[in-house]
């Protein structure tokens, strides 16, 4: 059955939201708090080790009610059962979207073309488990008999960002293996990583769902050539493994069949870290931790599937984003984790969110007249405070922000933790309340500042406030809580795609540039090939050829 196909702007809820927006758009959230002593409690979801406070948003209880009516009207419930039930909801590519099956318990049953995929999922999980265990405990040796010390993940996009983000996020849980990631076709990337490696003790994990990706194959070939400078062909099977759906191409690259970790077409690249694409995670932190990551994601799946929408974290988070995107017409959203471990979290989310929902054609193939995918960006706090927070506090743009924090540190230094968390709380409070003219003047007076200077500087020191934030406070950063957090965003992406009536799981938008790059590459390599370009590109190419190939 096809996904529901409803233009959200034609729903009753949308119309109601439009007039509701007009009624409350200028209201101060501060005054909502003054008027309703239960607001903070009512607009908070406590689930397992997550405490999600969305009361500092520019909403009332009525907003939430209408947003959830919108979710109902666009058929979210039906779509959710199609998503989890393995229907072909990635209709433009003719595929199921079943990353959720990867974190199911063994006893679950998920049918694809009438066949239960759970047994294969568990076979591959066992393969990951056995292999990572043997690498970590030194049973698997390199070609000169030494244990493996370094692991290099070679992949890009979904075959890089998820594992790289998670490995960094779980650094605290890491074992002795050094993990590296090579993604960019810019040779600097691979060259700098190679400098750190010893071919005798390095394991290379080539991750490419299609095994046709230019960047990954170039990096893999460069690394293999470097490896063969010290080792012979037979040694390749001891040092190269691959994760792919394209078994033929992997074998043609020279990888031993026993060293292939399969994946499936029903797992989208940007949602694939739960599959063998996460092999480098399992190698870095051990299979048990990898499994806990999956368990956390599964718990979030169950929460999303079963919880009523008003207490459903991904649904609320997605609908708030729809509220800002489509009614306040904001262009961007920030994600600010107060954890250095989550340094790559926003980068990771950029692929998930923007590759999925950056679409301008609806499920009928018609041009869309409303806004879809938001731009997502962010950096860890407190560093972000010393970089772009100025604009969030006092700039002209409205930027809803999700603040993610962990109540308990892993390092155990309470002084650092309290300082970090006081900033975490202070920022959302400052964004909410701002600082009035009166408060600025009073502060000047208290410091004995002259009236002249006071008059001059007051406008610059005022903070309007009323900047929306959501606080996601989690007990502790662990493989399980990280799994929950990532899955939360995956489901948020899904909900938004359903509301916007788009297909979230294809990514045709990345194809055009790839095609052109390959024809330009041919042209660079062969002077006899002459392609028609616009004047700008033609000039750039000719300039490049002149100066780069001397
Ligand atoms: O950027 C486009 C894309 O297809 C992503 O969706 C995917 O994650 C990435 O390229 C890498 O693809 P592959 O795993 O097939 O090498």
């Amino acid at each position: 059955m096809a996904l529901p196909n409803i233009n959200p702007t034609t729903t009753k809820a949308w119309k109601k939201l439009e007039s509701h927006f007009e009624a409350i758009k200028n209201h101060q959230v501060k005054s909502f708090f003054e008027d309703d002593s239960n607001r903070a409690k009512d607009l908070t979801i406590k689930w397992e080790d997550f405490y999600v406070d969305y009361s500092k948003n520019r909403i009332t209880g009525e907003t939430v009610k209408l947003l959830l009516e919108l979710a109902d009207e666009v058929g979210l419930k039906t779509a959710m059962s199609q998503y989890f039930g393995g229907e072909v909801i990635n209709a433009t590519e003719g595929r199921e979207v079943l990353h959720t099956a990867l974190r199911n318990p063994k006893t679950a049953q998920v049918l694809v073309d009438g066949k239960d995929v759970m047994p294969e999922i568990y076979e591959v999980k066992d393969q990951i488990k056995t292999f990572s265990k043997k690498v970590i405990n030194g049973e698997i040796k390199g070609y000169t008999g030494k244990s493996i010390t370094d692991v290099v993940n070679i992949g890009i996009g979904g075959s890089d960002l998820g594992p790289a983000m998670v490995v960094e996020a779980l650094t605290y849980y890491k074992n002795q293996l050094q993990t590296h990631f090579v993604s960019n076709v810019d040779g600097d990337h691979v060259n700098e990583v190679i400098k750190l490696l010893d071919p005798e003790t390095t394991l290379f994990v080539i991750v490419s769902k299609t095994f046709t990706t230019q960047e990954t194959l170039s990096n893999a070939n460069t690394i293999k050539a470097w490896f063969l400078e010290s080792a012979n062909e037979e040694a390749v099977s001891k040092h190269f493994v691959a994760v792919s759906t394209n078994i033929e191409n992997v074998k043609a690259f020279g990888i031993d069949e026993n060293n292939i970790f399969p994946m499936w077409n029903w797992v989208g690249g940007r949602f694939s870290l739960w599959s063998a694409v996460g092999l480098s995670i399992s190698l870095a932190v051990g299979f048990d931790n990898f499994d806990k990551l999956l368990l956390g994601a599964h718990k979030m799946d169950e929460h999303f599937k079963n919880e009523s929408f008003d207490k459903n974290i991904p649904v609320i988070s997605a609908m708030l984003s729809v509220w800002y995107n489509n009614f306040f017409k904001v262009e961007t959203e920030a994600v600010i984790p107060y954890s250095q471990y989550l340094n790559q979290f926003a980068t990771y989310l950029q692929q998930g969110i923007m590759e999925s929902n950056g679409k301008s054609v609806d499920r009928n193939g018609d041009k869309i007249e409303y806004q879809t995918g938001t731009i997502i960006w962010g950096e860890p706090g407190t560093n972000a405070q010393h970089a772009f927070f100025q604009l969030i506090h006092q700039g002209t743009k409205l930027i809803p922000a999700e603040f993610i924090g962990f109540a308990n540190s892993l390092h155990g230094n309470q002084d650092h933790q309290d300082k970090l968390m006081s900033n975490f709380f202070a920022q959302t409070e400052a964004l909410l309340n701002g600082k009035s003219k009166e408060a600025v003047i009073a502060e000047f007076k208290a410091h004995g500042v002259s009236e002249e200077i006071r008059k001059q500087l007051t406008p610059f020191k005022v903070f309007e406030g009323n900047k929306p934030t959501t606080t996601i406070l989690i007990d502790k950063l662990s493989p399980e809580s990280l799994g929950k957090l990532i899955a939360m965003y995956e489901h948020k992406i899904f909900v938004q795609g359903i509301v916007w009536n788009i297909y979230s799981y294809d990514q045709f938008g990345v194809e055009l540039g790839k095609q052109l790059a390959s024809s330009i590459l041919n042209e660079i390599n062969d002077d006899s090939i002459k392609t028609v370009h616009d004047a700008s590109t033609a000039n750039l190419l000719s300039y490049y050829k002149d100066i780069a190939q001397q």
Side-chain angles (χ1 to χ4, degrees):
M1 199 175 72
L3 279 174
N5 184 348
I6 296 160
N7 177 336
T9 63
T10 62
T11 59
K12 286 195 204 106
W14 193 278
K15 301 272 171 290
K16 288 193 232 170
L17 279 162
E18 277 174 337
S19 25
H20 173 68
F21 172 71
E22 288 305 320
I24 73 152
K25 66 181 181 191
N26 295 322
H27 281 231
Q28 294 287 319
V29 177
K30 218 169 21 178
S31 67
F32 292 147
F33 275 104
E34 284 155 14
D35 297 346
D36 178 5
S37 58
N38 288 326
R39 178 181 173 90
K41 192 165 77 41
D42 290 348
L43 301 183
T44 290
I45 302 173
K46 175 83 186 84
W47 170 75
E48 295 229 336
D49 48 348
F50 277 48
Y51 183 96
V52 180
D53 178 344
Y54 62 101
S55 64
K56 292 192 182 84
N57 280 286
R58 292 175 67 168
I59 54 169
T60 63
E62 177 70 5
T63 324
V64 178
K65 186 178 143 273
L66 295 177
L67 287 169
L68 298 184
E69 275 178 36
L70 174 62
D72 281 336
E73 269 192 83
V74 295
L76 179 59
K77 262 275 163 237
T78 310
M80 281 164 73
S81 63
Q82 292 173 293
Y83 172 40
F84 284 99
E87 292 191 31
V88 183
I89 64 164
N90 177 1
T92 44
E93 293 184 331
R95 290 176 187 164
E96 305 77 8
V97 177
L98 276 176
H99 47 274
T100 51
L102 298 165
R103 51 240 192 175
N104 267 345
K106 209 171 185 169
T107 47
Q109 195 197 44
V110 179
L111 302 179
V112 172
D113 295 330
K115 185 177 161 227
D116 184 9
V117 293
M118 291 314 300
E120 316 172 43
I121 290 176
Y122 270 80
E123 247 171 63
V124 178
K125 275 181 83 170
D126 281 345
Q127 196 188 351
I128 298 171
K129 182 177 179 174
T130 311
F131 183 76
S132 20
K133 207 180 205 170
K134 286 185 180 169
V135 174
I136 295 164
N137 70 19
E139 221 176 297
I140 287 183
K141 307 266 188 231
Y143 69 100
T144 56
K146 294 184 184 166
S147 299
I148 299 296
T149 57
D150 291 70
V151 174
V152 182
N153 187 98
I154 309 166
I156 195 164
S159 299
D160 165 72
L161 291 164
M165 181 277 287
V166 172
V167 167
E168 185 175 10
L170 298 182
T171 303
Y172 178 82
Y173 300 87
K174 270 189 78 180
N175 54 38
Q176 80 284 2
L177 296 173
Q178 295 297 320
T179 327
H180 313 265
F181 290 85
V182 174
S183 52
N184 202 326
V185 78
D186 177 358
D188 287 340
H189 201 178
V190 65
N191 280 339
E192 288 302 328
V193 172
I194 279 175
K195 285 182 195 166
L196 308 170
L197 306 173
D198 177 349
E200 292 180 44
T201 59
T202 304
L203 175 75
F204 299 98
V205 184
I206 309 175
V207 187
S208 178
K209 182 175 165 185
T210 55
F211 224 79
T212 57
T213 306
Q214 183 199 51
E215 291 92 333
T216 304
L217 295 186
S218 303
N219 284 324
N221 280 317
T222 300
I223 283 178
K224 191 174 162 196
W226 166 82
F227 178 78
L228 291 174
E229 284 168 19
S230 356
N232 58 26
E233 276 290 339
E234 280 111 76
V236 170
S237 68
K238 289 188 181 299
H239 290 264
F240 286 79
V241 302
V243 180
S244 188
T245 54
N246 190 342
I247 310 300
E248 286 317 302
N249 280 24
V250 176
K251 285 202 273 184
F253 180 86
I255 287 185
D256 194 300
E257 204 160 345
N258 298 319
N259 288 347
I260 304 177
F261 294 77
M263 62 180 294
W264 306 273
N265 273 329
W266 40 259
V267 185
R270 53 193 174 273
F271 305 100
S272 63
L273 69 88
W274 323 99
S275 70
V277 168
L279 181 60
S280 52
I281 304 172
S282 178
L283 287 162
V285 297
F287 180 82
D288 288 349
N289 282 322
F290 179 60
D291 212 24
K292 284 182 194 154
L293 181 83
L294 269 57
L295 174 69
H298 176 68
K299 287 188 178 173
M300 182 55 83
D301 296 343
E302 291 296 300
H303 165 78
F304 176 53
K305 250 195 310 194
N306 302 322
E307 192 57 77
S308 63
F309 286 174
D310 60 334
K311 290 274 169 249
N312 194 311
I313 301 171
V315 172
I316 292 289
S317 173
M319 297 313 292
L320 285 174
S321 173
V322 168
W323 173 239
Y324 291 117
N325 187 55
N326 297 94
F327 296 90
F328 280 92
K329 307 276 196 283
V330 306
E331 295 269 321
T332 82
E333 286 173 16
V335 173
I336 318 289
Y338 274 64
S339 164
Q340 195 56 32
Y341 285 130
L342 294 191
N343 192 32
Q344 296 183 58
F345 196 59
T347 310
Y348 162 76
L349 288 181
Q350 281 176 335
Q351 189 200 15
I353 293 174
M354 290 157 77
E355 198 165 87
S356 300
N357 287 336
K359 311 285 165 65
S360 52
V361 166
D362 70 11
R363 290 202 277 270
N364 298 302
D366 294 332
K367 181 98 185 94
I368 285 173
E369 311 258 313
Y370 44 88
Q371 287 293 312
T372 62
T374 47
I375 298 164
I376 185 92
W377 58 285
E379 283 288 325
T382 56
N383 292 18
Q385 294 173 198
H386 298 268
F388 52 76
F389 267 45
Q390 164 66 37
L391 185 145
I392 303 186
H393 281 287
Q394 284 191 313
T396 53
K397 293 176 173 56
L398 185 67
I399 302 173
E402 273 175 342
F403 280 66
I404 302 167
F406 298 93
N408 295 291
S409 74
L410 297 172
H411 52 72
N413 182 330
Q414 202 55 36
D415 175 51
H416 273 273
Q417 176 68 2
D418 291 342
K419 284 174 181 158
L420 176 77
M421 295 312 282
S422 57
N423 276 280
F424 176 74
F425 299 122
Q427 287 296 330
T428 63
E429 187 171 38
L431 288 163
L432 165 74
N433 293 318
K435 192 171 184 179
S436 66
K437 191 175 160 191
E438 293 68 34
V440 173
I441 294 172
E443 200 175 281
F444 273 141
K445 283 186 179 164
H447 287 93
V449 176
S450 72
E451 194 179 347
E452 193 196 343
I453 302 282
R454 269 193 338 245
K455 275 206 176 125
Q456 212 182 324
L457 290 186
T458 297
F460 304 101
K461 299 246 178 185
V462 168
F463 288 62
E464 278 177 10
N466 219 20
K467 314 284 187 196
T469 61
T470 299
T471 300
I472 302 174
L473 182 56
I474 302 168
D475 284 3
K476 195 169 86 174
L477 175 58
S478 65
E480 191 179 316
S481 64
L482 182 65
K484 289 173 182 165
L485 188 66
I486 300 170
M488 179 201 117
Y489 282 100
E490 289 182 342
H491 298 319
K492 176 174 177 172
I493 291 166
F494 167 81
V495 173
Q496 290 179 310
I498 295 303
V499 174
W500 291 325
N501 203 29
I502 54 181
Y503 285 119
S504 299
Y505 297 100
D506 59 27
Q507 56 286 315
F508 299 119
V510 299
E511 294 307 322
L512 178 60
K514 279 192 204 171
Q515 281 167 7
L516 284 181
S518 107
S519 84
I520 289 179
L521 182 62
N522 291 336
E523 219 177 318
I524 289 173
N525 289 330
D526 182 347
D527 281 334
S528 71
I529 300 177
K530 296 267 174 269
T531 314
V532 177
H533 295 284
D534 60 87
S536 161
T537 311
N539 285 347
L540 286 164
L541 263 172
S542 122
Y543 184 74
Y544 173 74
K545 281 181 138 191
D546 281 354
I547 66 162
Q549 294 188 330
Q550 279 165 5

